[in-house]
């Protein structure tokens, strides 16, 4: 009977998470930030700093760092974003006046550029109309806009209170576990915590290292939108191959429009090739480690499944939940290979 009660509680919690997923994003982001900041605040407590003051110091430090990075990068990102949009416009013109005629001549199949242009123009007008209506709906939807602004404001507020009261919250959760399950629960929670913390910190560091590597390498080969492309590729690298594919596409387009030749694109490919070598041989082994063991297929499936089931909240939870499940599955595998059924000792 107790097992059915626990199962019913878990099903109810899953249903509530599914129904409330549109409003869970600020709480999840705040929870992740509090989880990452908890070890630093705990370390400050060792120097006899009150938990509230330690939380305040950590938040002030994070805000100062983020403000400094934003002030330093925002003008550059804005300039390069406008430049990339201009490159995109020029590329569409080159596609019509040069690339399509050359492709038609090489393959021997006539491509009617006027029809393609008419088709592109018609669809561009439809897209512009759709974007205009969407923008009008967004601006006229006061509650949605206010909700989005409140969600952004809520993240640091929720993060502060969660970080300050983190030990108390963990103690209350532990108090709900039956005493005879506490040793097992603590062992499982410890392993899951170690894997999750290593994964989150390591993945963030890998994203930063890849973004910086791409930006520096593309700057060396002369790409004028190097920082923008490196930032996008680094941020998207949490999904295997998404960052590198997006970065190559953006950098190739920008380099071709910038130089008007195909040879400089070779430098772009070399930069991303070196980045992939650094990721697989340096960044991931040293920053994430081999104990995480998240296969690329599992990562892609987790991100797609999380986004499909819970929207943006699912995207936030996909990889952390997968890391925790892998830790639990390793324990389950250990129990299975030591079971009487696996060893063939059942009578």
């Amino acid at each position: 009977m107790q097992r059915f009660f626990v199962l019913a509680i878990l099903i109810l919690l899953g249903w509530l998470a599914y129904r409330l997923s549109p409003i869970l994003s600020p709480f999840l982001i705040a929870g992740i930030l509090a989880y990452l900041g908890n070890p630093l605040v705990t370390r400050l407590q060792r120097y006899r700093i009150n938990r509230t003051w330690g939380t305040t110091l950590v938040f002030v430090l994070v805000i100062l760092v983020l403000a400094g990075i934003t002030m330093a990068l925002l003008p550059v990102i804005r300039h390069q974003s406008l430049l990339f949009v201009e490159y995109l416009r020029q590329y569409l013109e080159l596609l019509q006046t040069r690339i399509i005629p050359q492709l038609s001549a090489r393959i021997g199949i006539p491509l009617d550029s006027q029809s393609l242009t008419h088709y592109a123009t018609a669809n561009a007008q439809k897209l512009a109309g759709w974007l205009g209506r969407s923008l009008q709906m967004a601006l006229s939807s006061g509650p949605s806009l206010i909700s989005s602004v409140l969600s952004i404001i809520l993240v640091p507020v929720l993060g502060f209170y969660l970080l300050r009261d983190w030990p108390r919250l963990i103690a209350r959760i532990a108090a709900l576990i039956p005493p005879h399950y506490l040793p097992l629960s603590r062992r499982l929670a410890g392993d899951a915590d170690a894997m999750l913390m290593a994964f989150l910190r390591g993945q963030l560091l890998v994203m930063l290292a890849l973004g910086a590597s791409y930006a520096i390498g593309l700057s060396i080969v002369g790409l004028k939108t190097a920082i923008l492309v490196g930032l996008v590729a680094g941020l998207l690298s949490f999904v295997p191959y998404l960052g590198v594919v997006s970065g190559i596409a953006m950098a190739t387009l920008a380099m071709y429009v910038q130089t008007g030749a195909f040879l400089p694109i070779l430098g772009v490919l070399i930069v991303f090739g070196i980045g992939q070598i650094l990721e697989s041989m340096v960044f991931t082994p040293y920053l994430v480690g081999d104990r995480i063991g998240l296969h690329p297929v599992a990562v892609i499936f987790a991100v797609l499944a999380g986004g499909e089931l819970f929207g943006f909240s699912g995207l936030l939870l996909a990889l952390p939940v997968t890391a925790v499940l892998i830790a639990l599955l390793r324990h389950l595998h250990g129990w299975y290979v030591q079971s009487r059924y696996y060893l063939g000792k059942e009578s």
Side-chain angles (χ1 to χ4, degrees):
M1 187 67 182
Q2 294 178 350
R3 294 180 179 178
F4 288 108
F5 177 74
V6 173
L7 180 60
I9 293 295
L10 293 176
I11 293 175
L12 177 62
L13 291 176
W15 180 80
L16 287 175
Y18 176 76
R19 296 294 297 173
L20 298 176
S21 58
I23 64 171
L24 287 180
S25 298
F27 294 90
L28 294 176
I29 296 174
I32 292 173
L33 294 177
Y35 176 76
L36 291 173
N38 179 63
L40 181 57
V41 177
T42 302
R43 183 170 298 181
L44 291 176
Q45 285 186 285
R46 298 175 185 173
Y47 298 96
R48 298 182 180 180
I49 297 177
N50 182 273
R51 181 86 189 181
T52 302
W53 281 108
T55 303
T56 304
L57 289 175
V58 170
F59 260 75
V60 170
L61 177 63
V62 171
I63 290 173
L64 290 176
V65 170
L66 291 178
I69 294 175
T70 302
M71 292 178 63
L73 291 181
L74 188 59
V76 178
I77 296 300
R78 179 181 178 276
H79 170 72
Q80 294 193 4
S81 298
L82 295 175
L83 186 60
F84 184 79
V85 171
E86 176 63 20
Y87 282 166
L88 186 60
R89 185 191 65 80
Q90 294 180 23
Y91 178 77
L92 294 177
E93 292 181 358
L94 287 173
L95 190 67
Q96 175 186 349
T97 60
R98 183 188 304 177
I99 298 178
I100 291 178
Q102 290 180 357
L103 182 62
S104 178
R106 287 180 180 274
I107 64 177
I109 300 176
L111 297 175
D112 189 354
S113 60
Q114 292 182 353
S115 299
L116 292 174
T117 303
H118 175 73
Y119 176 79
T121 303
N123 283 275
Q125 292 175 352
K126 292 180 181 178
L127 179 61
W130 180 81
L131 290 175
R133 290 191 298 272
S134 300
L135 181 61
Q136 184 178 4
M137 291 176 60
L139 293 176
S140 62
S141 179
S144 298
L145 184 61
I146 293 174
S147 177
S148 301
V149 174
L150 287 178
S151 296
I152 296 174
I153 297 174
L154 273 177
V155 169
V157 176
L158 294 172
F160 178 86
Y161 286 111
L162 286 174
L163 181 56
R164 188 193 65 178
D165 299 330
W166 193 265
R168 196 178 308 169
L169 294 173
I170 298 300
R172 289 182 178 179
I173 294 174
L176 297 175
I177 301 174
H180 57 282
Y181 284 127
L182 271 179
L184 174 62
S185 301
R186 286 173 177 167
R187 187 166 67 252
L188 293 176
D191 292 344
D193 175 66
M195 174 171 283
L196 183 58
M197 182 62 72
F199 173 77
L200 289 177
R201 287 182 175 177
Q203 194 61 41
L204 288 174
L205 291 175
V206 168
M207 290 165 60
L208 292 174
L210 274 177
S213 301
Y214 291 147
I216 293 172
L218 293 173
S219 298
I220 292 175
V221 298
L223 185 65
K224 293 182 180 180
T225 58
I227 296 179
L228 173 66
V229 175
L231 179 64
V232 172
L235 290 177
L236 294 179
S237 63
F238 73 94
V239 179
Y241 309 115
L242 180 60
V244 63
V245 171
S246 303
I248 289 176
M250 293 178 62
T252 299
L253 185 150
M255 182 64 82
Y256 177 73
V257 175
Q258 179 181 318
T259 61
F262 288 101
L263 185 60
I265 295 177
L266 181 61
V268 170
L269 299 178
I270 292 175
V271 168
F272 280 94
I274 294 175
Q276 288 300 291
I277 294 174
L278 289 175
E279 179 185 11
S280 60
M281 300 185 64
V282 179
F283 298 153
T284 298
Y286 286 96
L287 298 178
V288 179
D290 296 331
R291 56 178 173 167
I292 302 303
L294 287 181
H295 194 275
V297 175
V299 173
I300 295 173
F301 176 80
V303 171
L304 293 178
E308 180 68 23
L309 292 175
F310 299 101
F312 183 70
S313 301
L315 292 177
L316 294 175
L317 282 177
L319 295 183
V321 169
T322 303
V324 172
L325 288 177
I326 286 179
L328 299 179
L329 287 175
R330 287 178 179 174
H331 277 277
L332 183 62
H333 177 264
W335 294 332
Y336 172 68
V337 297
Q338 295 177 5
S339 66
R340 298 177 61 87
Y341 173 78
Y342 181 82
L343 297 175
K345 295 181 180 181
E346 286 188 339
S347 56

Short mmCIF file of all heavy atoms in Angstrom, two decimals, residues 212-267:
data_model
loop_
_atom_site.label_atom_id
_atom_site.label_comp_id
_atom_site.label_asym_id
_atom_site.label_seq_id
_atom_site.Cartn_x
_atom_site.Cartn_y
_atom_site.Cartn_z
N ALA A 212 35.56 31.02 -26.73
CA ALA A 212 36.77 31.84 -26.81
C ALA A 212 37.71 31.33 -27.89
O ALA A 212 38.32 32.12 -28.63
CB ALA A 212 37.47 31.84 -25.45
N SER A 213 37.85 30.01 -28.01
CA SER A 213 38.74 29.44 -29.03
C SER A 213 38.26 29.79 -30.44
O SER A 213 39.06 30.19 -31.30
CB SER A 213 38.82 27.92 -28.86
OG SER A 213 39.30 27.56 -27.59
N TYR A 214 36.96 29.62 -30.68
CA TYR A 214 36.42 29.96 -31.99
C TYR A 214 36.60 31.45 -32.29
O TYR A 214 36.97 31.82 -33.40
CB TYR A 214 34.94 29.59 -32.06
CG TYR A 214 34.66 28.11 -32.05
CD1 TYR A 214 33.50 27.60 -31.44
CD2 TYR A 214 35.52 27.20 -32.64
CE1 TYR A 214 33.24 26.24 -31.44
CE2 TYR A 214 35.26 25.85 -32.64
CZ TYR A 214 34.12 25.37 -32.03
OH TYR A 214 33.85 24.02 -32.03
N ALA A 215 36.30 32.29 -31.31
CA ALA A 215 36.41 33.74 -31.53
C ALA A 215 37.85 34.15 -31.84
O ALA A 215 38.10 34.94 -32.77
CB ALA A 215 35.89 34.49 -30.31
N ILE A 216 38.80 33.61 -31.08
CA ILE A 216 40.21 33.96 -31.31
C ILE A 216 40.68 33.43 -32.67
O ILE A 216 41.34 34.14 -33.45
CB ILE A 216 41.08 33.39 -30.17
CG1 ILE A 216 40.75 34.10 -28.85
CG2 ILE A 216 42.56 33.54 -30.49
CD1 ILE A 216 41.42 33.48 -27.64
N GLY A 217 40.34 32.17 -32.97
CA GLY A 217 40.77 31.59 -34.23
C GLY A 217 40.17 32.31 -35.43
O GLY A 217 40.87 32.59 -36.42
N LEU A 218 38.89 32.64 -35.37
CA LEU A 218 38.25 33.33 -36.49
C LEU A 218 38.78 34.76 -36.63
O LEU A 218 38.85 35.29 -37.74
CB LEU A 218 36.73 33.35 -36.29
CG LEU A 218 36.04 31.98 -36.37
CD1 LEU A 218 34.57 32.08 -36.00
CD2 LEU A 218 36.20 31.38 -37.77
N SER A 219 39.15 35.37 -35.52
CA SER A 219 39.78 36.70 -35.60
C SER A 219 41.13 36.62 -36.30
O SER A 219 41.49 37.51 -37.07
CB SER A 219 39.94 37.30 -34.19
OG SER A 219 38.69 37.48 -33.56
N ILE A 220 41.87 35.55 -36.02
CA ILE A 220 43.19 35.39 -36.65
C ILE A 220 43.06 35.23 -38.16
O ILE A 220 43.86 35.78 -38.93
CB ILE A 220 43.91 34.17 -36.03
CG1 ILE A 220 44.27 34.46 -34.57
CG2 ILE A 220 45.16 33.82 -36.83
CD1 ILE A 220 44.87 33.29 -33.84
N VAL A 221 42.03 34.48 -38.62
CA VAL A 221 41.87 34.30 -40.07
C VAL A 221 41.18 35.49 -40.72
O VAL A 221 40.95 35.48 -41.94
CB VAL A 221 41.08 33.01 -40.37
CG1 VAL A 221 41.84 31.80 -39.86
CG2 VAL A 221 39.67 33.06 -39.81
N GLY A 222 40.81 36.50 -39.93
CA GLY A 222 40.33 37.76 -40.50
C GLY A 222 38.83 37.93 -40.58
O GLY A 222 38.36 38.86 -41.26
N LEU A 223 38.04 37.10 -39.90
CA LEU A 223 36.59 37.24 -39.95
C LEU A 223 36.16 38.42 -39.07
O LEU A 223 36.51 38.49 -37.89
CB LEU A 223 35.91 35.96 -39.47
CG LEU A 223 34.39 35.92 -39.57
CD1 LEU A 223 33.95 35.98 -41.03
CD2 LEU A 223 33.83 34.68 -38.89
N LYS A 224 35.38 39.33 -39.63
CA LYS A 224 34.98 40.54 -38.90
C LYS A 224 33.87 40.28 -37.89
O LYS A 224 33.63 41.13 -37.02
CB LYS A 224 34.54 41.61 -39.90
CG LYS A 224 35.67 42.13 -40.78
CD LYS A 224 35.18 43.22 -41.71
CE LYS A 224 36.31 43.73 -42.60
NZ LYS A 224 35.85 44.80 -43.52
N THR A 225 33.17 39.16 -38.01
CA THR A 225 32.12 38.82 -37.04
C THR A 225 32.57 37.66 -36.15
O THR A 225 31.76 36.84 -35.72
CB THR A 225 30.81 38.45 -37.76
OG1 THR A 225 31.06 37.36 -38.66
CG2 THR A 225 30.27 39.63 -38.54
N ALA A 226 33.85 37.60 -35.84
CA ALA A 226 34.42 36.45 -35.13
C ALA A 226 33.83 36.29 -33.73
O ALA A 226 33.51 35.18 -33.31
CB ALA A 226 35.93 36.59 -35.05
N ILE A 227 33.68 37.39 -33.00
CA ILE A 227 33.19 37.29 -31.62
C ILE A 227 31.74 36.83 -31.60
O ILE A 227 31.36 35.99 -30.78
CB ILE A 227 33.36 38.64 -30.90
CG1 ILE A 227 34.85 38.99 -30.79
CG2 ILE A 227 32.72 38.60 -29.52
CD1 ILE A 227 35.12 40.32 -30.12
N LEU A 228 30.92 37.35 -32.50
CA LEU A 228 29.52 36.94 -32.57
C LEU A 228 29.40 35.45 -32.89
O LEU A 228 28.67 34.72 -32.22
CB LEU A 228 28.78 37.77 -33.61
CG LEU A 228 27.34 37.35 -33.91
CD1 LEU A 228 26.46 37.57 -32.68
CD2 LEU A 228 26.79 38.09 -35.12
N VAL A 229 30.13 35.00 -33.91
CA VAL A 229 30.07 33.59 -34.30
C VAL A 229 30.60 32.70 -33.18
O VAL A 229 30.02 31.65 -32.88
CB VAL A 229 30.85 33.36 -35.60
CG1 VAL A 229 30.89 31.88 -35.95
CG2 VAL A 229 30.22 34.15 -36.74
N GLY A 230 31.71 33.09 -32.56
CA GLY A 230 32.26 32.30 -31.46
C GLY A 230 31.30 32.21 -30.28
O GLY A 230 31.16 31.14 -29.67
N LEU A 231 30.62 33.32 -29.98
CA LEU A 231 29.66 33.31 -28.87
C LEU A 231 28.49 32.38 -29.16
O LEU A 231 28.10 31.56 -28.31
CB LEU A 231 29.14 34.74 -28.63
CG LEU A 231 28.11 34.91 -27.52
CD1 LEU A 231 28.72 34.56 -26.17
CD2 LEU A 231 27.57 36.35 -27.50
N VAL A 232 27.93 32.46 -30.37
CA VAL A 232 26.80 31.60 -30.73
C VAL A 232 27.22 30.13 -30.73
O VAL A 232 26.52 29.26 -30.19
CB VAL A 232 26.23 32.01 -32.10
CG1 VAL A 232 25.19 31.01 -32.58
CG2 VAL A 232 25.62 33.41 -32.03
N ALA A 233 28.36 29.83 -31.34
CA ALA A 233 28.83 28.45 -31.41
C ALA A 233 29.13 27.89 -30.02
O ALA A 233 28.85 26.72 -29.73
CB ALA A 233 30.07 28.35 -32.29
N GLY A 234 29.69 28.72 -29.15
CA GLY A 234 29.98 28.27 -27.79
C GLY A 234 28.72 28.00 -26.98
O GLY A 234 28.61 26.99 -26.28
N LEU A 235 27.73 28.89 -27.09
CA LEU A 235 26.50 28.71 -26.33
C LEU A 235 25.71 27.49 -26.80
O LEU A 235 25.05 26.82 -25.99
CB LEU A 235 25.62 29.97 -26.45
CG LEU A 235 26.14 31.22 -25.74
CD1 LEU A 235 25.21 32.40 -26.02
CD2 LEU A 235 26.25 30.99 -24.23
N LEU A 236 25.78 27.19 -28.10
CA LEU A 236 25.02 26.06 -28.63
C LEU A 236 25.76 24.74 -28.51
O LEU A 236 25.22 23.70 -28.88
CB LEU A 236 24.67 26.31 -30.11
CG LEU A 236 23.72 27.48 -30.39
CD1 LEU A 236 23.48 27.61 -31.88
CD2 LEU A 236 22.39 27.28 -29.66
N SER A 237 26.98 24.78 -27.99
CA SER A 237 27.78 23.55 -27.95
C SER A 237 27.33 22.58 -26.87
O SER A 237 27.87 21.48 -26.79
CB SER A 237 29.26 23.90 -27.72
OG SER A 237 29.45 24.54 -26.46
N PHE A 238 26.34 22.96 -26.02
CA PHE A 238 25.85 22.00 -25.04
C PHE A 238 25.11 20.85 -25.71
O PHE A 238 24.94 19.78 -25.11
CB PHE A 238 24.95 22.70 -24.01
CG PHE A 238 23.60 23.10 -24.54
CD1 PHE A 238 22.51 22.28 -24.39
CD2 PHE A 238 23.43 24.32 -25.18
CE1 PHE A 238 21.26 22.65 -24.87
CE2 PHE A 238 22.19 24.70 -25.66
CZ PHE A 238 21.11 23.86 -25.51
N VAL A 239 24.64 21.05 -26.96
CA VAL A 239 24.08 19.96 -27.76
C VAL A 239 25.16 19.53 -28.74
O VAL A 239 25.67 20.36 -29.50
CB VAL A 239 22.82 20.40 -28.52
CG1 VAL A 239 22.29 19.25 -29.38
CG2 VAL A 239 21.75 20.88 -27.56
N PRO A 240 25.57 18.26 -28.75
CA PRO A 240 26.65 17.82 -29.63
C PRO A 240 26.41 18.19 -31.08
O PRO A 240 25.32 17.96 -31.62
CB PRO A 240 26.65 16.29 -29.43
CG PRO A 240 26.08 16.10 -28.07
CD PRO A 240 25.06 17.17 -27.89
N TYR A 241 27.42 18.78 -31.69
CA TYR A 241 27.47 19.12 -33.12
C TYR A 241 26.58 20.32 -33.50
O TYR A 241 26.74 20.86 -34.59
CB TYR A 241 27.08 17.92 -34.01
CG TYR A 241 27.85 16.68 -33.67
CD1 TYR A 241 27.20 15.56 -33.16
CD2 TYR A 241 29.23 16.63 -33.83
CE1 TYR A 241 27.91 14.42 -32.84
CE2 TYR A 241 29.95 15.48 -33.52
CZ TYR A 241 29.29 14.38 -33.02
OH TYR A 241 29.99 13.27 -32.69
N LEU A 242 25.66 20.74 -32.63
CA LEU A 242 24.83 21.90 -32.98
C LEU A 242 25.66 23.17 -33.01
O LEU A 242 25.52 23.99 -33.93
CB LEU A 242 23.68 22.04 -31.97
CG LEU A 242 22.74 23.22 -32.21
CD1 LEU A 242 22.07 23.12 -33.58
CD2 LEU A 242 21.69 23.30 -31.10
N GLY A 243 26.55 23.34 -32.04
CA GLY A 243 27.38 24.53 -32.01
C GLY A 243 28.33 24.63 -33.18
O GLY A 243 28.44 25.67 -33.83
N VAL A 244 29.01 23.53 -33.49
CA VAL A 244 29.99 23.56 -34.57
C VAL A 244 29.31 23.72 -35.93
O VAL A 244 29.80 24.47 -36.79
CB VAL A 244 30.89 22.30 -34.53
CG1 VAL A 244 30.08 21.05 -34.76
CG2 VAL A 244 32.01 22.41 -35.54
N VAL A 245 28.16 23.07 -36.13
CA VAL A 245 27.45 23.19 -37.41
C VAL A 245 26.94 24.63 -37.59
O VAL A 245 27.08 25.23 -38.66
CB VAL A 245 26.30 22.17 -37.49
CG1 VAL A 245 25.43 22.45 -38.70
CG2 VAL A 245 26.86 20.76 -37.56
N SER A 246 26.33 25.19 -36.54
CA SER A 246 25.84 26.56 -36.61
C SER A 246 26.98 27.54 -36.83
O SER A 246 26.87 28.48 -37.64
CB SER A 246 25.07 26.91 -35.34
OG SER A 246 24.01 26.02 -35.11
N GLY A 247 28.08 27.33 -36.12
CA GLY A 247 29.22 28.23 -36.27
C GLY A 247 29.82 28.19 -37.66
O GLY A 247 30.16 29.22 -38.23
N ILE A 248 29.98 26.98 -38.22
CA ILE A 248 30.53 26.86 -39.57
C ILE A 248 29.61 27.53 -40.59
O ILE A 248 30.07 28.23 -41.50
CB ILE A 248 30.74 25.37 -39.92
CG1 ILE A 248 31.91 24.80 -39.10
CG2 ILE A 248 31.02 25.20 -41.41
CD1 ILE A 248 32.14 23.33 -39.31
N ALA A 249 28.30 27.33 -40.44
CA ALA A 249 27.36 27.94 -41.38
C ALA A 249 27.44 29.46 -41.34
O ALA A 249 27.53 30.13 -42.38
CB ALA A 249 25.93 27.47 -41.08
N MET A 250 27.44 30.03 -40.12
CA MET A 250 27.50 31.49 -39.99
C MET A 250 28.84 32.04 -40.48
O MET A 250 28.90 33.03 -41.21
CB MET A 250 27.27 31.88 -38.53
CG MET A 250 25.88 31.61 -38.00
SD MET A 250 25.71 32.06 -36.25
CE MET A 250 26.02 33.84 -36.31
N ALA A 251 29.94 31.38 -40.08
CA ALA A 251 31.26 31.88 -40.44
C ALA A 251 31.52 31.75 -41.93
O ALA A 251 32.14 32.63 -42.54
CB ALA A 251 32.33 31.12 -39.65
N THR A 252 31.07 30.65 -42.53
CA THR A 252 31.26 30.46 -43.97
C THR A 252 30.52 31.52 -44.76
O THR A 252 31.08 32.12 -45.70
CB THR A 252 30.77 29.05 -44.38
OG1 THR A 252 31.53 28.07 -43.68
CG2 THR A 252 30.93 28.84 -45.87
N LEU A 253 29.28 31.78 -44.40
CA LEU A 253 28.50 32.81 -45.09
C LEU A 253 29.16 34.18 -44.95
O LEU A 253 29.33 34.91 -45.94
CB LEU A 253 27.08 32.83 -44.52
CG LEU A 253 26.05 33.75 -45.17
CD1 LEU A 253 24.66 33.15 -45.02
CD2 LEU A 253 26.06 35.15 -44.56
N ALA A 254 29.55 34.53 -43.72
CA ALA A 254 30.15 35.84 -43.49
C ALA A 254 31.49 35.98 -44.20
O ALA A 254 31.79 37.03 -44.79
CB ALA A 254 30.32 36.07 -41.99
N MET A 255 32.31 34.93 -44.18
CA MET A 255 33.63 35.01 -44.82
C MET A 255 33.50 35.12 -46.33
O MET A 255 34.26 35.86 -46.98
CB MET A 255 34.45 33.78 -44.43
CG MET A 255 35.86 33.79 -45.01
SD MET A 255 36.87 35.17 -44.36
CE MET A 255 37.39 34.48 -42.79
N TYR A 256 32.54 34.41 -46.92
CA TYR A 256 32.38 34.48 -48.37
C TYR A 256 31.93 35.87 -48.81
O TYR A 256 32.45 36.43 -49.78
CB TYR A 256 31.38 33.43 -48.84
CG TYR A 256 31.10 33.49 -50.32
CD1 TYR A 256 32.05 33.04 -51.24
CD2 TYR A 256 29.91 34.01 -50.81
CE1 TYR A 256 31.82 33.11 -52.60
CE2 TYR A 256 29.67 34.08 -52.17
CZ TYR A 256 30.62 33.63 -53.06
OH TYR A 256 30.39 33.71 -54.41
N VAL A 257 30.98 36.45 -48.07
CA VAL A 257 30.52 37.80 -48.42
C VAL A 257 31.62 38.82 -48.17
O VAL A 257 31.81 39.77 -48.94
CB VAL A 257 29.25 38.15 -47.62
CG1 VAL A 257 28.83 39.59 -47.88
CG2 VAL A 257 28.12 37.20 -47.97
N GLN A 258 32.37 38.61 -47.10
CA GLN A 258 33.42 39.56 -46.74
C GLN A 258 34.55 39.58 -47.75
O GLN A 258 35.08 40.64 -48.10
CB GLN A 258 33.97 39.21 -45.34
CG GLN A 258 35.09 40.11 -44.86
CD GLN A 258 35.60 39.67 -43.50
OE1 GLN A 258 34.82 39.32 -42.61
NE2 GLN A 258 36.90 39.68 -43.32
N THR A 259 34.93 38.41 -48.26
CA THR A 259 36.10 38.33 -49.16
C THR A 259 35.71 38.13 -50.62
O THR A 259 36.51 38.42 -51.51
CB THR A 259 37.01 37.17 -48.73
OG1 THR A 259 36.28 35.93 -48.81
CG2 THR A 259 37.49 37.38 -47.29
N GLY A 260 34.53 37.56 -50.88
CA GLY A 260 34.13 37.29 -52.25
C GLY A 260 34.85 36.11 -52.87
O GLY A 260 34.85 35.96 -54.10
N ALA A 261 35.47 35.26 -52.05
CA ALA A 261 36.22 34.11 -52.57
C ALA A 261 35.97 32.90 -51.67
O ALA A 261 35.55 33.03 -50.52
CB ALA A 261 37.71 34.42 -52.64
N PHE A 262 36.24 31.72 -52.23
CA PHE A 262 36.03 30.48 -51.48
C PHE A 262 37.26 30.05 -50.70
O PHE A 262 37.14 29.32 -49.71
CB PHE A 262 35.62 29.35 -52.43
CG PHE A 262 34.23 29.48 -52.96
CD1 PHE A 262 34.01 29.97 -54.24
CD2 PHE A 262 33.13 29.13 -52.19
CE1 PHE A 262 32.72 30.10 -54.74
CE2 PHE A 262 31.84 29.25 -52.67
CZ PHE A 262 31.63 29.74 -53.95
N LEU A 263 38.45 30.48 -51.11
CA LEU A 263 39.67 30.02 -50.46
C LEU A 263 39.74 30.41 -48.98
O LEU A 263 40.15 29.58 -48.14
CB LEU A 263 40.90 30.54 -51.21
CG LEU A 263 42.26 30.05 -50.70
CD1 LEU A 263 42.33 28.52 -50.78
CD2 LEU A 263 43.40 30.69 -51.49
N PRO A 264 39.36 31.64 -48.58
CA PRO A 264 39.41 31.98 -47.15
C PRO A 264 38.52 31.11 -46.27
O PRO A 264 38.73 31.03 -45.06
CB PRO A 264 38.96 33.44 -47.11
CG PRO A 264 39.28 33.98 -48.47
CD PRO A 264 39.04 32.83 -49.39
N ILE A 265 37.52 30.47 -46.88
CA ILE A 265 36.64 29.60 -46.09
C ILE A 265 37.43 28.42 -45.53
O ILE A 265 37.08 27.86 -44.48
CB ILE A 265 35.46 29.11 -46.96
CG1 ILE A 265 34.60 30.31 -47.37
CG2 ILE A 265 34.63 28.07 -46.25
CD1 ILE A 265 33.45 29.95 -48.28
N LEU A 266 38.52 28.05 -46.21
CA LEU A 266 39.37 26.98 -45.71
C LEU A 266 39.90 27.32 -44.31
O LEU A 266 40.00 26.44 -43.45
CB LEU A 266 40.54 26.74 -46.67
CG LEU A 266 41.52 25.62 -46.29
CD1 LEU A 266 40.81 24.28 -46.20
CD2 LEU A 266 42.67 25.57 -47.29
N GLY A 267 40.23 28.58 -44.09
CA GLY A 267 40.68 29.00 -42.76
C GLY A 267 39.60 28.81 -41.70
O GLY A 267 39.89 28.42 -40.56
#
